[in-house]
Amino acid sequence: MIARLRLQPADVGMGLTGQRVRDRLIEDLRGGGIADERVLNAIRTVPRHQFVDEALASRAYENNALPIGHGQTISQPYVVAKMTEALLRDGSPKRVLEVGTGSGYQAAVLAALGLEVFTVERIGDLLRTARKRFRALGLHVRSKHDDGRIGWPEQAPFDAIIVTAAGPALVEALLEQLAPGGVLVAPVGTAGAQTLLRLCKDADGAITQEDLGAVVFVPLLSGMID
Ligand code: SAH
């Protein structure tokens, strides 16, 4: 799986971007209950410091969200791990849709796991930067500049859908684009009261819902900007 990444020396990192700090982050994630070795391995390998501004690179392996411009953030590694684990649990999804590309880090983790990734971002500037990162790492990620609340109907259905910005309610169009047997993971709620939901669609189209706990995400907004 990780063989899909084309890593240069700058991606492997050193000092505060190197192996020791990454191993410490992985232990931190394990301590927080992340147990899926595939997920831990992907997070150890994907160079998170290449998904933030150079000035923040030295903080990339701290278990924190960091600013990426335009008032947005790259999610905390623990949250990326938890959402990815929730997507992979009981199943082996192949095609996954992400709403909210942001830095591109979550999409890169999914691509490193061997998934076929489709990602949608409403802020053109962030998407352009993320695309450069995918290219530099040799990652095949398909992306679209659009309001992700409409999903990607031409590419549906998806085995898994991950939403990385919080809306006040679940987006019906996204549930419709989920294949039977598929899983959707999304934060839902308003500022200060968001929960991470995991929804499964069974073979008959019936939905079951599980609450994975409180989270803090930037809002899912409508429309697009350059
Ligand atoms: N997955 C990202 C997290 C970025 S924060 C990462 O790994 O870095 C959430 C992102 O969702 C922001 O970039 C924001 O612009 C985007 N977003 C918010 N509403 C959106 C919408 N309706 N469609 C697409 N992207 C959206």
Side-chain angles (χ1 to χ4, degrees), residues 72-101:
Q72 307 304 318
T73 54
I74 179 173
S75 306
Q76 183 193 10
Y78 174 70
V79 172
V80 172
K82 185 168 168 163
M83 292 178 86
T84 308
E85 194 171 62
L87 275 191
L88 298 186
R89 197 199 323 151
D90 19 276
S92 42
K94 290 185 182 62
R95 291 160 59 84
V96 56
L97 172 69
E98 178 193 34
V99 175
T101 316

Side-chain angles (χ1 to χ4, degrees), residues 97-101 118-122 144 146-148 151-152:
L97 172 69
E98 178 193 34
V99 175
T101 316
F118 299 80
T119 184
V120 187
E121 170 59 54
R122 64 182 286 276
K144 181 169 77 134
D146 210 340
D147 181 343
W152 199 329

Side-chain angles (χ1 to χ4, degrees), residues 69-163:
H70 300 271
Q72 307 304 318
T73 54
I74 179 173
S75 306
Q76 183 193 10
Y78 174 70
V79 172
V80 172
K82 185 168 168 163
M83 292 178 86
T84 308
E85 194 171 62
L87 275 191
L88 298 186
R89 197 199 323 151
D90 19 276
S92 42
K94 290 185 182 62
R95 291 160 59 84
V96 56
L97 172 69
E98 178 193 34
V99 175
T101 316
S103 67
Y105 178 69
Q106 172 76 67
V109 167
L110 294 168
L113 282 159
L115 281 88
E116 191 181 349
V117 183
F118 299 80
T119 184
V120 187
E121 170 59 54
R122 64 182 286 276
I123 302 178
D125 191 43
L126 291 178
L127 187 59
R128 281 188 291 276
T129 307
R131 281 175 174 156
K132 282 187 204 147
R133 292 169 176 150
F134 300 145
R135 217 171 301 131
L137 290 167
L139 288 171
H140 183 65
V141 171
R142 284 197 260 179
S143 61
K144 181 169 77 134
H145 181 206
D146 210 340
D147 181 343
R149 294 178 316 155
I150 62 165
W152 199 329
E154 301 82 5
Q155 295 291 351
F158 299 96
D159 306 313
I161 299 180
I162 178 169
V163 185

Side-chain angles (χ1 to χ4, degrees), residues 23-37 40 63 78 81:
D23 288 344
R24 213 174 300 143
L25 171 62
I26 299 306
E27 287 322 307
D28 207 25
L29 299 180
R30 258 189 233 285
I34 307 298
D36 189 324
E37 291 299 329
L40 292 169
N63 194 7
Y78 174 70

